[in-house]
Amino acid sequence: MRKPRKRSFAELVSENKNQIMKDEALMEKIEKRLEAKRIERAE
């Protein structure tokens, strides 16, 4: 049996980004947190 090839950090980041982009509920949560940060900094 061959050893599974270890993924590079860039590959892991790319895979994670794709999963997040597909998950609409998670995207909404992230957008709300970013919006709250922007409002907090504006005050």
Side-chain angles (χ1 to χ4, degrees), residues 14-28:
S14 177
E15 186 177 310
N16 192 26
K17 179 182 173 186
N18 290 335
Q19 287 176 349
I20 290 172
M21 295 295 276
K22 290 177 186 174
D23 188 345
E24 290 184 30
L26 186 56
M27 284 297 292
E28 284 290 322

Side-chain angles (χ1 to χ4, degrees), residues 3-14:
K3 275 188 175 179
R5 185 176 73 84
K6 289 187 180 181
R7 294 186 214 154
S8 71
F9 182 73
E11 288 171 326
L12 292 172
V13 169
S14 177

